[in-house]
Amino acid sequence: MAHEITLPRPAADFHVHVRDGEMMKLVVPTIKQGGVSVAYIMPNLVPPLTTVDAVLAYKSRLEAVDDSITYIMTLYLSPAITPEVIHAARQAGITGVKCYPAGVTTNSEHGVASYAPFYPTFAAMEQEDMVLNLHGECPSSGHVHLLNAEEEFIPTLKDLHSRFPRLRIVLEHCTSAAAVRAVLECGPTVAATITAHHLFLTIDQWAGNSYNFCKPVAKFPSDRDALLEAATSGNPKFFFGSDSAPHPITAKEKAKGASAGVFTQTHAVGYLTEAFDKLGKLDKLVPFVCEYGRDFYKISEKETSWKVVMTKQESIVESQIGEGNSGVVPFKAGEKLSWTTTIVEE
Ligand code: NCD
Ligand code: ZN
């Protein structure tokens, strides 16, 4: 009998990119396929989601594709997000605000150059108990480069936390031992998401392979090991956010300027189970994927009529989803995983 794990409820993924239009129709069904029923949806569309109405309209488009998923919504921080917008957002059921430093990643050109002008917005968020999602990197310039961009951001994280100690902050997709330490040093209102791919990748696997290139970039083996340790530690400050970020093959196979983002949605829980199993930490899987994030966010969600069963049985990651050059190549495409995800309808 194969080793089997039935998740007590489907996973919650607190950092998801599903885009819009045709790409959205392709990618949204893969949320459930990957074992996830709660998806925290990123707002870096083109143009970015900077109004309550735009967020709500987007949520309706997502529900039209798959209504069984609970979509948790976040606004894109810009000068349009005033304290009044925060109050309206809370009323409308929007959970968070995502802050992209200008120029650090995909669709961040409308992002933030300086934090002080947003202090009144952050104060309103603290008052409304909303969540600030931080892309924790400083833009490259001078001594700041891809490999230290996250570490250089830590003083900003700590400064925002000390100014707004009751504001819930998530340091998104943390990738370095330094960031893990910083999150541990902050109070209980500061948490971090960890992706699946950063539990595998180091710098050697993305240099020369744009399918493994994402922001923040994967760093040194010691950093990867610190992420594995944090994810499997049983500390509720660290929970799952896949940062699954689909880009069409044409945007990835570019000699110059390949888009940043790794697509992991189809096997989200599968990759994690593999990583936790290798460390003999399967007992920590359910808290990391099902519990800590839900608790931190205090979300309410739809009932699901399906279960996620992980079986220790080989599966092969598909070579791509979607047709031709507008398709998307998943992380570890064509490679074996030792776990298979099955969605069981009840
Ligand atoms: C994300 C994307 O493609 O939208 N890319 C990435 O490399 N992670 C944006 C982001 O989360 O940084
Ligand atoms: Zn992201």
Side-chain angles (χ1 to χ4, degrees):
M1 173 76 181
H3 187 171
E4 209 174 86
I5 304 169
T6 302
L7 300 187
R9 47 186 169 167
D13 181 346
F14 282 93
H15 189 130
V16 172
H17 299 268
V18 284
R19 319 301 185 200
D20 211 341
E22 290 308 307
M23 184 62 99
M24 170 185 78
K25 290 181 194 152
L26 176 66
V27 168
V28 164
T30 68
I31 298 174
K32 177 173 173 181
Q33 198 185 329
V36 167
S37 68
V38 171
Y40 194 84
I41 301 293
M42 288 296 140
N44 61 332
L45 301 185
V46 185
L49 300 177
T50 57
T51 67
V52 170
D53 286 350
V55 171
L56 297 182
Y58 183 42
K59 188 178 185 195
S60 303
R61 295 198 291 285
L62 299 173
E63 281 168 343
V65 183
D66 184 350
D67 194 29
S68 75
I69 302 294
T70 299
Y71 302 100
I72 317 254
M73 307 306 287
T74 184
L75 278 154
Y76 187 109
L77 186 64
S78 80
I81 314 293
T82 58
E84 291 68 40
V85 173
I86 293 300
H87 299 308
R90 189 50 159 173
Q91 288 298 312
I94 295 172
T95 301
V97 177
K98 174 77 188 277
C99 171
Y100 291 94
V104 294
T105 188
T106 307
N107 304 337
S108 65
E109 49 280 4
H110 302 285
V112 166
S114 142
Y115 294 85
F118 294 102
Y119 291 166
T121 300
F122 297 153
M125 290 175 65
E126 186 175 44
Q127 190 191 339
E128 293 283 8
D129 198 23
M130 286 179 75
V131 174
L132 177 64
N133 307 109
L134 290 177
H135 183 116
E137 287 191 294
C138 291
S140 289
S141 94
H143 72 285
V144 181
H145 51 75
L146 286 182
L147 292 175
N148 69 1
E150 186 174 84
E151 190 158 1
E152 290 288 320
F153 183 81
I154 289 170
T156 303
L157 168 70
K158 292 203 164 165
D159 180 59
L160 290 174
H161 177 47
S162 70
R163 285 174 195 277
F164 305 100
R166 287 179 302 108
L167 175 62
R168 284 179 292 154
I169 296 178
V170 179
L171 181 66
E172 297 295 336
H173 40 51
C174 70
T175 60
S176 59
V180 168
R181 272 197 305 277
V183 168
L184 289 170
E185 285 159 12
C186 290
T189 49
V190 175
T193 49
I194 296 179
T195 75
H197 51 282
H198 286 117
L199 298 180
F200 293 88
L201 297 174
T202 63
I203 182 169
D204 290 41
Q205 280 93 46
W206 63 260
N209 179 350
S210 69
Y211 288 108
N212 288 338
F213 170 58
C214 66
K215 294 298 301 295
V217 297
K219 301 190 168 65
F220 300 108
S222 53
D223 294 300
R224 193 250 341 258
D225 293 350
L227 298 176
L228 281 165
E229 162 82 37
T232 62
S233 65
N235 187 324
K237 275 174 164 282
F238 300 97
F239 52 83
F240 181 44
S242 69
D243 192 21
S244 174
H247 290 278
I249 289 172
T250 41
K252 278 297 200 181
E253 297 203 350
K254 261 185 170 172
K256 258 184 167 178
S259 296
V262 173
F263 178 68
T264 50
Q265 209 74 60
T266 44
H267 294 273
V269 179
Y271 300 124
L272 292 171
T273 310
E274 183 106 0
F276 279 57
D277 188 14
K278 266 192 210 142
L279 291 180
K281 296 280 177 117
L282 280 174
D283 58 318
K284 298 294 196 298
L285 179 70
V286 166
F288 181 73
V289 297
C290 296
E291 289 168 12
Y292 299 151
R294 280 178 166 106
D295 292 347
F296 183 85
Y297 272 95
K298 304 188 262 194
I299 55 158
S300 55
E301 63 189 276
K302 294 174 188 162
E303 290 273 319
T304 41
S305 59
W306 42 279
K307 278 207 149 90
V308 180
V309 181
M310 306 305 299
T311 314
K312 190 146 191 186
Q313 195 178 290
E314 236 173 59
S315 59
I316 306 223
V317 179
E318 57 276 47
S319 55
Q320 75 176 70
I321 64 158
E323 298 297 315
N325 278 343
S326 49
V328 177
V329 174
F331 180 51
K332 292 183 178 289
E335 290 179 38
K336 280 182 196 154
L337 292 181
S338 28
W339 288 83
T340 298
T341 309
T342 311
I343 306 301
V344 181
E345 302 287 343
E346 291 182 319

